[in-house]
């Protein structure tokens, strides 16, 4: 197990500060785990792949977006400045600016590409949060505590993918029908795709993947060599967004 | 108690000034109530430009606060006696500036009622945690140093010996506050405008130009309004410090521009393009950024010639030009320029709204009020001596 940026910062921060016991215990147990992990069972790491070819089959299909946004009480604001989105589409050239050439841009540049939070392996959004309101869970899901977030928006500046939205106003009036099984948010907090952690807890897959008739969204355990996701990543060429930043996205694109 | 009595005998002009500041503070507070009720939607901020004027002001005033070290260091480490009185004025300016910084962070929060989460759930891996320690410590140190010095001067006794180590500690601490503030930005992957190792040095250079420039202006104002003279030699020495810092700052900016444009890496170029040329039809910041460049070059020219620098009206013009120039660069361009274009290449317009600008003005007025009262107390003590 490699020492992540987070571990390093946390340990050095501790050394400097001699912070109270809770964190020390947590960091130390993480450390000893690192040394014995060879014998331990591999943890889960949830991941996802978007099959762009399949996604394009049905023109203008937005089923996954609707499924996610209605499941998670995501408000619909008309003005772009204040919109909140967990999963959405952008032109290919904005999502993969470096994968463009002058000759492919005409055709590929404007093709719609799905994007959401990448649930990074070493998420910069977690590093910067001053109150531990957003963190990577042991299963790879990067989650947010809406009740702890102070709305400083440091994580929005830190996320290199533009995955996070902020509640500039009270979201509730802009939710068409509230799903009582998922919390609504207040103004002043950040939110984003949560890999359907609430459905994972019940043994279900994400709402977007379930809703897609083309099976263009494949969800699974990246640590499990024979998972459907891993098989797909073996058989088809896939890329991540901005892998050069070292964030380790768990979302793959089959191009 | 005695100190407050000192502030009581005032002229009409003084009360008019105080009343207008209170009025602006009231207007700012009302706008803040509006923001509390409706959320940050009342500002010009957006999903793409999620930080704006508030955070930029914060950054700028951390610089002003840190710059006190430019009078403290020569006085205490080099025993440069001419700075004796300026040192106290500089420390009081630092106290004021850090208070403003804390207010700017506070009004930027989406959930201000949860601010104590920062203390309840401290996160040493977040630079904001260190910034909080740096700023809090600096505020405390300068407040204690200034208060102890003032009381000693009032009672005609030498300052107690234990304060000396605190003063010495405040010197590297001043450097640290602005360094840590730069690290808030320069450690973020994917924000190419900030992702540069010379961001912290740049911050320090611009701070050591704008802060002492403000101090010179304040001293000149004090001389006009109250007859207090900081001393010709002290002002001139400060002007030399401003000159060096400004030259270094201009040099560092040019080094950035060279790297961005000679390498021609699009991600590095486009932020400069947005600020200085305009991108996707958005030219809003272009005139302001060029004004900033122009003002800093004019100021440098005025300051480089010793004869011109010695001319007080010219020095005042140069200092005002520097203050405005660096405010435009740091209090406006730095944050917005770092956020546009967005990680997805969007060029989103950001125009501060009326409530947002009023809140900013309100915090400026708090700063002006603090400085007025602080300097008034100090001057009346000096007058009595
Ligand atoms: S994509 Fe952004 S929000 Fe999601 S884990 Fe990575 S850095 Fe955090
Ligand atoms: S906005 Fe909320 S989740 Fe994001 S860094 Fe601030 S406190 Fe953490």
């Amino acid at each position: 197990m490699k020492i992540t940026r987070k571990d390093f910062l946390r340990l050095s921060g501790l050394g400097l500060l001699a912070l109270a016991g809770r964190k020390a215990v947590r960091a130390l147990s993480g450390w000893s785990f690192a040394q014995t992990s060879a014998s331990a069972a591999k943890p889960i790491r949830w991941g996802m792949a978007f099959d762009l070819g399949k996604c394009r089959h049905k023109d203008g299909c937005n089923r996954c977006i609707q499924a996610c946004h209605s499941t998670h009480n995501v408000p619909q604001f008309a003005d772009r400045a204040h919109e909140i989105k967990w999963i959405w589409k952008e032109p290919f050239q904005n999502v993969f600016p470096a994968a463009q050439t002058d000759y492919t841009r005409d055709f590929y540049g404007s093709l719609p590409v799905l994007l959401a939070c990448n649930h990074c392996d070493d998420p910069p959004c977690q590093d910067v949060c001053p109150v531990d309101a957003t963190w990577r869970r042991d299963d790879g899901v990067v989650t947010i505590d809406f009740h702890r977030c102070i709305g400083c928006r440091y994580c929005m500046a830190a996320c290199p993918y533009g995955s996070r939205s902020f509640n500039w106003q009270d979201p509730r009036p802009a939710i068409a029908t509230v799903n009582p099984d998922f919390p609504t948010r207040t103004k002043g907090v950040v939110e984003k795709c949560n890999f359907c952690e609430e459905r994972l807890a019940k043994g279900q897959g994400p709402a977007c993947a379930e809703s897609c008739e083309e099976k263009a969204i494949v969800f699974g355990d990246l640590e499990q060599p024979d998972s459907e996701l891993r098989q797909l990543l073996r058989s088809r060429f896939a890329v991540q967004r901005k892998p050069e930043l070292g964030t380790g996205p768990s979302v793959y694109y089959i191009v | 108690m005695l100190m407050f009595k000192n502030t009581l005998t005032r002229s009409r002009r003084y009360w008019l000034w105080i009343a207008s500041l209170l009025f602006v503070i009231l207007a700012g507070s009302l706008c803040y109530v509006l923001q509390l009720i409706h959320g940050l939607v009342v500002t010009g901020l957006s999903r793409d430009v999620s930080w704006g004027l508030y955070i930029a002001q914060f950054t700028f005033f951390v610089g002003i606060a840190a710059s006190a070290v430019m009078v403290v260091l020569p006085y205490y480490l080099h025993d440069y006696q001419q700075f004796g009185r300026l040192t106290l004025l500089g420390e009081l300016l630092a106290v004021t500036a850090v208070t403003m910084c804390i207010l700017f962070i506070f009004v930027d929060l989406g959930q201000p009622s949860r601010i104590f989460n920062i203390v309840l759930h401290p996160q040493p891996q977040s630079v904001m945690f260190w910034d909080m320690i740096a700023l809090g410590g600096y505020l405390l140190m300068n407040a204690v140093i200034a208060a102890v010095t003032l009381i000693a001067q009032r009672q005609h006794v030498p300052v107690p010996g234990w304060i000396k180590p605190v003063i010495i500690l405040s010197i590297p601490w001043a450097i640290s506050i602005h360094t840590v503030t730069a690290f808030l930005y320069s450690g973020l992957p994917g924000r190419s405008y900030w992702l540069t190792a010379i961001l912290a040095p740049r911050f320090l250079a611009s701070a050591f130009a704008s802060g002492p420039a403000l101090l010179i202006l304040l001293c000149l104002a004090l001389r006009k309004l109250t007859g207090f003279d900081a001393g010709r030699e002290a002002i001139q020495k400060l002007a030399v410090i401003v000159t060096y810092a400004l030259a270094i700052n201009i040099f560092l900016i040019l080094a950035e521009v060279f790297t961005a444009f000679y390498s021609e890496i699009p991600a590095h170029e486009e932020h400069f393009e947005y600020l200085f040329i305009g991108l996707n039809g958005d030219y809003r910041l272009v005139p302001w950024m060029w004004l900033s460049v122009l003002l800093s070059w004019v100021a440098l020219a005025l300051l480089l010639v010793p004869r011109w620098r010695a001319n007080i009206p010219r020095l005042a013009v140069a200092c005002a030009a520097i203050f405005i120039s660096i405010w435009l660069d740091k209090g406006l361009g730095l944050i917005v320029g770092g956020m546009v274009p967005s990680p997805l290449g969007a060029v989103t317009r950001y125009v501060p709204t009326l409530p947002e600008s009023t809140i900013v003005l309100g915090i400026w007025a708090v700063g002006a009020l603090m400085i007025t009262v602080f300097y008034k107390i100090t001057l009346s003590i000096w007058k009595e001596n």
Side-chain angles (χ1 to χ4, degrees):
Chain A
M1 193 188 223
K2 67 173 181 155
I3 301 177
T4 64
R5 172 169 55 194
K6 185 196 99 197
D7 295 334
F8 174 74
L9 289 170
R10 182 165 272 168
L11 285 168
S12 57
L14 274 167
L16 284 167
L17 247 198
L19 249 200
R22 186 178 69 92
K23 274 188 185 300
V25 170
R26 212 211 274 177
L28 286 173
S29 62
W31 189 247
S32 55
F33 174 74
Q35 285 164 342
T36 55
S37 66
S39 56
K42 278 230 162 186
I44 298 173
R45 180 176 163 203
W46 295 117
M48 189 132 89
F50 293 132
D51 190 329
L52 296 184
K54 282 186 179 170
C55 179
R56 284 199 294 271
H57 270 168
K58 258 202 283 174
D59 231 8
C61 171
N62 274 333
R63 284 182 68 114
C64 56
I65 300 176
Q66 280 159 7
C68 167
H69 287 180
S70 59
T71 308
H72 297 115
N73 294 322
V74 175
Q76 301 301 314
F77 290 112
D79 64 334
R80 218 185 70 83
H82 301 130
E83 72 185 343
I84 294 180
K85 44 195 183 185
W86 285 28
I87 178 169
W88 71 103
K89 288 181 180 175
E90 291 266 347
F92 184 86
Q93 59 185 3
N94 295 354
V95 187
F96 294 102
Q100 283 301 305
T101 73
D102 287 345
Y103 312 109
T104 56
R105 188 172 288 120
D106 283 351
F107 178 67
Y108 289 101
S110 56
L111 287 178
V113 172
L114 276 174
L115 21 74
C117 170
N118 287 299
H119 296 274
C120 302
D121 197 25
D122 194 356
C125 57
Q126 152 170 330
D127 292 342
V128 300
C129 180
V131 298
D132 203 12
T134 191
W135 67 95
R136 182 196 185 279
R137 307 195 314 185
D138 290 340
D139 61 358
V141 175
V142 176
T143 188
I144 302 177
D145 182 344
F146 304 126
H147 298 283
R148 185 180 284 190
C149 170
I150 58 174
C152 65
R153 309 190 296 294
Y154 198 5
C155 54
M156 291 177 83
C159 170
Y161 305 101
S163 299
R164 295 182 160 245
S165 305
F166 181 72
N167 284 282
W168 300 100
Q169 56 209 308
D170 183 8
R172 281 158 198 147
I175 305 172
T177 30
V178 173
N179 169 16
D181 296 331
F182 197 78
T184 56
R185 274 74 68 193
T186 62
K187 66 171 187 284
V189 299
V190 164
E191 61 180 80
K192 64 164 191 71
C193 158
N194 68 346
F195 255 6
C196 281
E197 52 176 300
E198 79 286 359
R199 293 170 56 98
L200 292 178
K202 288 190 270 179
Q204 296 167 310
C208 56
E210 189 175 87
S211 75
C212 178
E213 289 172 343
E214 303 291 332
K215 299 270 169 279
I217 305 178
V218 177
F219 184 82
D221 183 359
L222 285 167
E223 295 289 353
Q224 202 54 251
D226 49 355
S227 67
E228 189 192 351
L229 179 60
R230 281 286 295 274
Q231 280 171 13
L232 186 65
L233 294 178
R234 248 195 313 273
S235 58
R236 303 273 305 277
F237 180 68
V239 294
Q240 298 161 304
R241 292 174 64 197
K242 303 185 184 174
E244 71 277 13
L245 298 180
T247 51
S250 304
V251 173
Y252 290 80
Y253 289 85
I254 316 260
V255 285
Chain B
M1 252 359 259
L2 279 168
M3 278 193 197
F4 288 109
K5 231 166 60 199
N6 290 329
T7 61
L8 282 179
T9 31
R10 302 293 159 246
S11 68
R12 230 184 121 116
R13 192 176 52 188
Y14 174 77
W15 285 114
L16 209 67
W17 167 244
I18 297 286
S20 16
L21 289 180
L22 287 175
F23 177 77
V24 179
I25 295 174
L26 180 72
S29 313
L30 289 177
C31 286
Y32 183 66
V33 171
L34 193 77
Q35 181 181 302
L36 268 188
I37 295 170
H38 296 288
L40 282 150
V41 70
V42 302
T43 67
L45 297 169
S46 60
R47 193 179 189 278
D48 287 341
V49 187
S50 48
W51 277 344
L53 215 48
Y54 296 152
I55 293 295
Q57 302 306 294
F58 155 77
T59 313
F60 178 75
F61 280 100
V62 174
I64 299 290
S67 73
V69 75
M70 287 290 106
V71 281
V72 172
L73 190 145
Y75 180 60
Y76 286 103
L77 289 192
H78 299 280
D79 203 23
Y80 184 67
Q81 289 301 328
Q82 298 290 341
F83 276 178
R85 295 197 147 176
L86 275 185
T87 301
L88 185 53
L89 298 183
E91 285 156 352
L92 290 168
L93 182 60
V95 171
T96 307
V98 178
T99 309
M100 292 171 76
C101 292
I102 293 171
L103 287 174
F104 279 120
I105 290 287
F106 186 77
V107 297
D108 187 66
L109 293 182
Q111 283 287 337
S113 61
R114 298 182 187 165
I115 187 155
F116 288 109
N117 281 0
I118 299 186
V119 188
L120 295 174
H121 311 284
Q123 291 300 300
Q125 81 264 31
S126 171
V127 183
M128 215 177 277
F129 170 84
W130 296 102
D131 213 27
M132 189 184 66
I133 292 183
L135 285 174
Y138 193 66
L139 177 63
L140 196 72
M141 266 182 230
N142 277 286
V144 168
I145 296 168
V148 166
T149 314
L150 267 181
I151 290 169
Q153 290 185 352
R154 224 205 117 73
Q155 296 167 347
H156 302 275
V157 293
V159 287
W162 60 265
I163 200 74
K164 199 70 191 263
V166 181
I167 294 170
I168 301 298
L169 180 63
S170 83
I171 293 172
W173 205 284
I175 310 290
S176 85
I177 62 168
H178 218 23
T179 305
V180 176
T181 304
F183 286 177
L184 280 177
Y185 311 108
S186 68
L188 304 180
R191 301 274 178 190
S192 327
Y193 189 59
W194 300 333
L195 189 72
T196 159
I198 65 167
L199 197 68
R202 246 183 88 185
F203 272 23
L204 288 169
S206 60
F208 296 157
S210 57
L214 177 61
L215 198 55
I216 291 178
L217 289 174
L218 287 172
C219 286
L220 296 180
L222 283 183
R223 196 166 74 172
K224 241 205 155 120
L225 297 171
T226 69
F228 162 75
D229 193 355
R232 186 177 176 77
E233 199 190 312
I235 297 274
Q236 286 304 316
K237 194 51 119 212
L238 214 45
V240 173
I241 292 175
V242 172
T243 313
Y244 275 112
L246 179 66
I248 295 172
N249 188 43
I250 291 176
F251 167 74
L252 290 176
I253 292 177
L254 289 177
E256 289 275 27
V257 170
F258 170 81
T259 307
F261 286 99
Y262 196 81
S263 71
E264 292 190 86
I265 297 173
H268 290 265
E269 276 182 316
E270 56 198 8
H271 297 278
F272 285 97
E273 272 173 37
Y274 169 69
L275 289 174
F276 289 98
I277 305 169
L279 206 61
N280 289 8
D282 189 349
Y283 308 103
R284 240 153 234 270
L285 285 178
V286 174
W288 297 108
M289 294 312 290
W290 281 107
L291 178 65
S292 167
V293 171
L294 187 75
L295 286 174
S296 65
W297 282 94
V298 168
L300 187 65
L302 284 176
L303 288 175
L304 273 180
V305 182
R307 199 158 32 87
W308 290 355
R309 195 164 63 216
N311 175 313
I312 292 299
R314 271 204 198 125
L315 178 64
V317 169
C319 287
I322 291 170
F323 188 80
I324 297 170
S325 165
I326 292 179
W327 184 83
L328 287 170
D329 179 39
K330 229 171 162 181
L332 197 69
L334 175 86
I335 298 300
V336 183
M339 300 221 124
V340 182
S342 76
L344 286 160
V347 175
T348 307
R349 277 177 183 230
Y350 165 68
V351 186
T353 58
L354 188 65
E356 188 180 5
S357 314
T358 313
I359 292 172
V360 167
L361 279 180
I363 297 178
W364 276 67
V366 170
L369 186 66
M370 285 177 71
I371 266 300
T372 309
V373 175
F374 284 164
Y375 283 9
K376 195 92 192 174
I377 295 171
T378 311
L379 288 193
S380 56
I381 289 177
W382 284 348
K383 218 173 264 168
E384 275 171 29
N385 286 4

